[in-house]
Amino acid sequence: QVQLVESGGELVQAGGSLRLSCAASGRTFSSYAMGWFRQAPGKEREFVATISRGGGTTDYADSLKERFTISRDNAKNTVYLQMNSLKPEDTAVYFCAAREGWSLDRVVDDYNYWGQGTQVTVSS
C-alpha cells in the first residue's frame, strides 16, 4: 500500500505557473505508475497526465500537453506537475494517484491509490 500527499496548490493569476508535488510513503514508490487528475466543481474527475515507473514515458491530456509537464524523482518518492500559462478553466482540485502496472493509463478507475487533493485556483 502507498500513501499520497499533494501540495503546492494555491491561488494564482491567469498566465502564472505552479508546481504541484505529491509525496509518497509506504511501499516502493518506483513500483507504481503515477498520474495526476483534476476535478472542477460539478464536473467529473478528469485525466491530466501520467508517468511510467522509471519516468521515461509520459502521457498527457491532449488539451494540456503544451502547458503541463509531469516528472518524478524516485529517490525522493515524489511526483511533480509543472503547470504553465495557467487559465481560469484550470481551476480544480488536483489529485495524484498511483497504480500497479507497467502501462500508462488515463482511466480513473484503474488507479489503486489516491491523495486527498490540492486546490488550484486561477483568477482572471
Side-chain angles (χ1 to χ4, degrees):
Q1 192 169 359
V2 63
Q3 292 78 43
L4 303 172
V5 179
E6 302 94 336
S7 62
E10 62 181 70
L11 173 64
V12 64
Q13 288 189 334
S17 297
L18 282 177
R19 188 176 80 157
L20 306 183
S21 299
C22 173
S25 61
R27 285 185 58 188
T28 306
F29 178 65
S30 59
S31 299
Y32 298 93
M34 300 297 297
W36 284 98
F37 294 79
R38 68 185 184 182
Q39 188 166 17
K43 295 187 177 181
E44 293 187 352
R45 193 167 298 188
E46 66 174 359
F47 168 75
V48 173
T50 183
I51 189 166
S52 59
R53 292 181 178 187
T57 307
T58 57
D59 185 31
Y60 296 89
D62 292 344
S63 62
L64 299 176
K65 60 185 177 183
E66 297 298 325
R67 300 187 292 119
F68 288 14
T69 302
I70 189 172
S71 61
R72 67 189 295 165
D73 185 338
N74 285 348
K76 295 183 178 180
N77 289 356
T78 302
V79 62
Y80 304 97
L81 184 68
Q82 177 68 42
M83 306 186 293
N84 299 326
S85 302
L86 284 162
K87 304 175 181 180
E89 51 263 43
D90 294 319
T91 295
V93 177
Y94 283 70
F95 299 88
C96 74
R99 64 179 296 271
E100 300 168 339
W102 289 101
S103 61
L104 300 181
D105 197 311
R106 297 184 172 197
V107 178
V108 170
D109 290 344
D110 290 345
Y111 283 77
N112 307 103
Y113 306 102
W114 291 84
Q116 83 290 347
T118 186
Q119 176 71 47
V120 172
T121 303
V122 184
S123 64
S124 57

